[in-house]
Amino acid sequence: MSEEQARAGGDSDQQAGGVRSVRRAFDILTLLTEDRPVITLREITESTGLAKTTALRLVQTLEETGLLGSHPSGYTAGPALWRWAYLARSQWEVPQETRKVMRELADRLGETVNLFVARGVHRICVAHEESPHPLRHVVDVGDEQPLWAGASSKILLRDASEVFLRRVAAASPQGEAHVERLRAWATDAAERGYAVSSSEWDEGLTAVAVPVTGRTGEVAASLSLSGPSHRFPYEAVERFATELTEGARLISGQGFSHPLSSAV
């Protein structure tokens, strides 16, 4: 092996090690949740499978960069995460006018209202207003769900190219054969003006969705209503679709756009 080849191999090993360290650091940070705002070194090693010395080295690096902070019981989110979260919120949070429309729909219809945008082969919740019922569908802002199922997916795929539909189908459990159903769903949603799903993504969950359009008429987002299937009889679905369509018209009129959305 020449010296040049050896150097190239060493660089490759270093790059692989660097990527692996980033992945491990990310795994540690994702252990922090609303229910678990503080994590211990033991929880880190048990959850990630890392050796204690490796975990400690990564934690120290995350502390130095401000991504983790010391806590009497372990480690918590550091100031750098707060700075990034503030930046993300300022860029990604939907306008108050949009939230107002969604809140009024949730109060009037009694179910959870979500706003999804497409990004890659997924849809991301960028805003939600929860149902007043104790038993309700809960989707958090930032949650990702696949585009191969669900009422919102059928809406977001309305203008999708054949190539993209095949990408989404390939990511589904059914594989590429699912493209025929995706195409039929998108066509049906476009003709009716709304889409419905029942137990396609979550068992016992029904959703109704309508398009929010951009300035050029393309689908910019999906406005949906979701909840337990027993609260979505046929006659209610028709009324929900009508109410959602009016809400989507108001949001579209506000000039809705979102930095997370990507063309399909």
Side-chain angles (χ1 to χ4, degrees), residues 207-247:
V208 183
V210 300
V212 172
T213 55
R215 290 184 174 86
T216 60
E218 79 286 357
V219 176
S222 169
L223 182 67
S224 68
L225 193 75
S226 56
S229 295
H230 69 268
R231 295 207 298 258
F232 281 69
Y234 177 79
E235 58 274 14
V237 167
E238 291 291 320
R239 181 170 64 88
F240 291 163
T242 299
E243 294 267 12
L244 282 172
T245 299
E246 176 58 20

Side-chain angles (χ1 to χ4, degrees), residues 27-33 35-52 54-56 58-60 62-63 68-77:
D27 288 342
I28 291 173
L29 292 174
T30 55
L31 295 176
L32 293 169
T33 65
D35 296 328
R36 184 167 62 176
V38 179
I39 52 176
T40 65
L41 186 61
R42 181 176 179 177
E43 287 174 325
I44 292 172
T45 56
E46 289 179 350
S47 298
T48 63
L50 293 172
K52 184 176 180 180
T54 301
L56 186 59
L58 287 168
V59 165
Q60 289 172 341
L62 290 171
E63 276 193 282
L68 281 182
S70 294
H71 186 276
S73 301
Y75 304 94
T76 189

Side-chain angles (χ1 to χ4, degrees), residues 253-264:
Q254 296 166 2
F256 178 83
S257 64
H258 198 277
L260 279 181
S261 62
S262 59
V264 298

Side-chain angles (χ1 to χ4, degrees), residues 119-138:
R119 186 170 181 82
V121 295
H122 294 84
R123 51 187 165 102
I124 301 176
C125 179
V126 295
H128 76 135
E129 293 293 336
E130 291 188 355
S131 161
H133 293 295
L135 178 62
R136 59 182 180 264
H137 182 218
V138 178

